[in-house]
Amino acid sequence: MTEEINTQDTRNLMAIANQFAQLGKVTGVKAFGSGNINDTFLVTLDCSKEQHFVLQRINTQVFRQPQLIMQNMRTFTEHVHKRLQDIPLNRRWEVPRVLLTKDTQDHCKDADGSFWRAISFIEGSQSFDSIGDRSHAKEIGYALGMFHNLISDLPPEKLADTLEGFHITPLYLQHYQEVLAKTSVSKSTEVNYCLQFVSDRQVFAHILENAKSEGILPLRLMHGDPKINNVMFDTVTQQAVSVIDLDTVKPGLVHYDIGDCLRSGCNPAGEETENWESIYFDTDLCQEILQGYLAVAKAFLTENDYAYIYNAIRLITFELGLRFFADYLAGNVYFKVKHPEHNLARAIVQFKLTESIESQETQIRKIIQDMK
């Protein structure tokens, strides 16, 4: 994102940034990253110790209680920093730090009432939108495993649920049924395919939530959005060094994270393709990512956790397709679209990917079994 910021805005941004600049003077602020939710800027300081930090305006339409997000972030980043001090790793691993204002607050508000926060910048790192280099697959798994491992001893009740209902598949199914009941659907081959697809899998939507309520799967802390572009790689060693975008960290099932990481990582055709015949779930990438993940996650996973990994991969892919399709039927109100059929096309990608996962169930379960 390289859009120009006008002079007045720059002055305002510099003033806000200066409130967080404990170590030096702000010399520049520029738009940064391509996130869909918050406005993000990179701040430059005249300080040899810390040359940059990240400044963000939190989207309070999505996150209604930004104070809770900051509280969560401080709780778990402080927990992880302490763990890393007690048991240092033998490789680079960084956790973004929450930076405080000069009057020791974790946020500030501007004249418009906008909510601003600052986070430390992971120097010498980069992220990728897809797995171009197969060696990255194992590192992506390692990153998610390390993230889960470092917070596995933090009681989930210490963190607030900042997005209630997020990743609860039965609730998305209920929403879909409500939309369907009040929409006159114009039928087409694609729409009929999606209607039938969802109808055939309704019972399956409850599989993880049932396991949670029956105490088979424990409530833990999860990242909530472990897409591969939230993993930062060291620009020199090409090893994973951090997991970012921590606003959705909350109590939940680690299975939603595992499933989402594999869903986004093992689809070489990408989420926006319209060549539906080319969509498949790459089990080689799945094996690499899981190998990296389990190398670190073995420390806290139970026998039951392993039993539900395949279901998680299938479910989260189905869930995203369901959300896209429901949004298409509702008139594209949640996800940004480039054309009216965009969410329908996105839904079909996820449903085709789900079919590919289902057709390889035996092989995927064997991969999981062999790694235990």
Side-chain angles (χ1 to χ4, degrees):
M1 188 163 93
T2 53
E3 61 196 66
E4 292 301 312
I5 309 169
N6 69 40
T7 318
Q8 182 59 42
D9 284 349
T10 302
R11 273 204 293 272
N12 294 347
L13 285 166
M14 298 275 275
I16 293 160
N18 263 313
Q19 295 199 42
F20 294 96
Q22 305 262 28
L23 293 172
K25 193 167 168 301
V26 174
T27 57
V29 182
K30 65 174 186 183
F32 182 66
S34 58
N36 289 332
I37 296 180
N38 301 320
D39 297 321
T40 306
F41 304 90
L42 186 65
V43 177
T44 308
L45 298 169
D46 65 346
C47 165
S48 57
K49 187 168 179 285
E50 199 158 296
Q51 294 171 343
H52 301 97
F53 67 82
V54 175
L55 181 69
Q56 284 187 314
R57 175 169 38 207
I58 293 192
N59 181 337
T60 48
Q61 292 302 109
V62 174
F63 298 108
R64 301 293 172 125
Q65 295 176 284
Q67 302 85 329
L68 288 182
I69 287 180
M70 298 314 298
Q71 195 180 304
N72 277 1
M73 202 179 274
R74 287 176 73 168
T75 302
F76 80 80
T77 55
E78 283 161 20
H79 174 86
V80 172
H81 280 294
K82 186 173 182 319
R83 265 200 61 175
L84 289 171
Q85 276 169 340
D86 295 346
I87 318 162
L89 298 176
N90 57 0
R91 56 179 275 178
R92 181 185 176 195
W93 185 259
E94 293 190 39
V95 182
R97 296 187 326 280
V98 173
L99 306 184
L100 301 180
T101 61
K102 287 169 182 165
D103 54 0
T104 67
Q105 299 301 304
D106 58 23
H107 68 278
C108 73
K109 289 187 176 173
D110 63 16
D112 303 333
S114 292
F115 190 102
W116 293 87
R117 57 117 181 258
I119 302 166
S120 62
F121 178 66
I122 312 288
E123 298 280 359
S125 69
Q126 65 190 125
S127 66
F128 303 97
D129 286 326
S130 61
I131 299 181
D133 184 336
R134 293 193 92 81
S135 68
H136 284 165
K138 198 173 281 180
E139 285 295 310
I140 281 164
Y142 171 88
L144 183 62
M146 183 52 69
F147 181 86
H148 282 163
N149 196 356
L150 290 169
I151 54 174
S152 62
D153 58 341
L154 179 61
E157 58 275 11
K158 292 258 175 93
L159 262 60
D161 189 342
T162 48
L163 274 178
E164 286 187 20
F166 187 56
H167 280 325
I168 310 282
T169 318
L171 292 181
Y172 292 121
L173 183 63
Q174 190 186 328
H175 169 70
Y176 162 79
Q177 286 161 342
E178 286 162 10
V179 170
L180 194 59
K182 59 182 187 214
T183 311
S184 55
V185 187
S186 51
K187 300 284 173 71
S188 67
T189 313
E190 289 80 13
V191 168
N192 289 346
Y193 164 77
C194 292
L195 289 167
Q196 189 62 50
F197 195 90
V198 176
S199 169
D200 290 344
R201 288 164 184 77
Q202 300 206 16
V203 182
F204 165 68
H206 300 75
I207 191 159
L208 290 187
E209 286 305 304
N210 286 355
K212 183 172 80 179
S213 59
E214 289 162 24
I216 298 168
L217 295 178
L219 188 71
R220 295 193 182 99
L221 290 174
M222 63 175 200
H223 181 280
D225 190 20
K227 295 193 301 286
I228 53 183
N229 60 5
N230 282 334
V231 175
M232 303 304 293
F233 286 82
D234 186 298
T235 46
V236 179
T237 65
Q238 290 298 305
Q239 284 187 315
V241 291
S242 190
V243 177
I244 59 163
D245 202 357
L246 306 173
D247 292 337
T248 50
V249 175
K250 60 179 224 134
L253 296 175
V254 293
H255 290 72
Y256 289 122
D257 278 354
I258 298 167
D260 208 17
C261 181
L262 289 160
R263 177 199 66 73
S264 73
C266 302
N267 169 15
E271 299 189 2
E272 297 287 334
T273 181
E274 297 207 358
N275 177 12
W276 295 316
E277 300 316 306
S278 71
I279 296 162
Y280 72 102
F281 183 83
D282 187 326
T283 51
D284 292 342
L285 285 175
C286 173
Q287 185 161 6
E288 296 277 330
I289 293 173
L290 273 176
Q291 220 164 8
Y293 179 77
L294 294 172
V296 209
K298 275 198 168 112
F300 63 85
L301 289 180
T302 67
E303 190 62 39
N304 285 339
D305 285 325
Y306 285 99
Y308 279 87
I309 290 176
Y310 165 77
N311 295 317
I313 303 167
R314 181 187 170 203
L315 183 72
I316 206 84
T317 312
F318 169 67
E319 177 189 287
L320 185 58
L322 179 68
R323 290 173 65 195
F324 282 138
F325 186 45
D327 200 36
Y328 165 73
L329 295 175
N332 305 317
V333 288
Y334 185 86
F335 295 105
K336 292 177 184 170
V337 292
K338 296 192 174 121
H339 56 87
E341 309 286 300
H342 197 170
N343 277 324
L344 177 62
R346 285 168 167 159
I348 293 171
V349 171
Q350 297 304 320
F351 291 160
K352 291 289 182 191
L353 192 60
T354 307
E355 283 179 353
S356 177
I357 291 164
E358 290 168 347
S359 72
Q360 300 179 87
E361 176 175 358
T362 311
Q363 193 181 349
I364 296 168
R365 286 191 184 276
K366 187 176 185 313
I367 290 169
I368 298 160
Q369 188 61 34
D370 290 350
M371 282 189 201
K372 283 197 328 206

